[in-house]
Amino acid sequence: QVQLVESGGGLVQAGGSLRLSCAASGRTESSYTMGWFRQAPGKEREFVVAISWNSGSTVYADSVKGRFTISRGGAKITVYLQMNSLKPEDTAVYYCAASTYAPQNLAGFYEYWGQGTQVTVSS
């Protein structure tokens, strides 16, 4: 089992920035893909970005390209999501997820999920 814990959410004004963190523990392996998804009220869960822990290769959703950046680092498997130029439509619960597959945007390929952290962007 892998446990994922997100942190860093909060309330920010439009145009502002936030950085989310996700720390993995348990049966962590260097071959994992780590991803971020988000879900706004009344909407389906949406892919945001994913990174291969080994290679560092990334996949971004078009809606966040140029504004969000995923990175990895630390002694433990930790990924960061730097979110800049935030928009009200970025408001959602952001979930960290881990997968044994290559980075991709399909939630069904992610076996482990965190509890989520709320991001609210005010206009």
Side-chain angles (χ1 to χ4, degrees):
Q1 289 292 326
V2 174
Q3 293 78 45
L4 303 173
V5 178
E6 305 100 331
S7 61
L11 173 64
V12 64
Q13 289 188 333
S17 299
L18 280 175
R19 189 175 86 150
L20 306 183
S21 300
C22 173
S25 61
R27 293 187 61 184
T28 55
E29 299 173 6
S30 61
S31 60
Y32 277 121
T33 283
M34 303 291 289
W36 288 96
F37 288 75
R38 65 187 183 186
Q39 188 166 19
K43 295 188 177 181
E44 293 186 353
R45 192 164 296 189
E46 173 190 29
F47 170 76
V48 177
V49 62
I51 186 169
S52 167
W53 186 260
N54 265 353
S55 69
S57 62
T58 57
V59 176
Y60 284 88
D62 288 342
S63 59
V64 305
K65 280 181 181 177
R67 300 188 300 123
F68 291 12
T69 303
I70 191 170
S71 61
R72 70 200 198 282
K76 297 182 179 181
I77 294 183
T78 304
V79 292
Y80 305 95
L81 181 63
Q82 179 65 44
M83 305 185 294
N84 298 328
S85 302
L86 283 162
K87 305 174 182 179
E89 51 263 44
D90 294 318
T91 295
V93 177
Y94 283 70
Y95 296 91
C96 178
S99 170
T100 53
Y101 296 91
Q104 61 176 285
N105 61 0
L106 297 178
F109 285 94
Y110 290 79
E111 297 98 325
Y112 304 102
W113 293 83
Q115 293 299 308
T117 185
Q118 177 70 46
V119 171
T120 303
V121 184
S122 63
S123 57

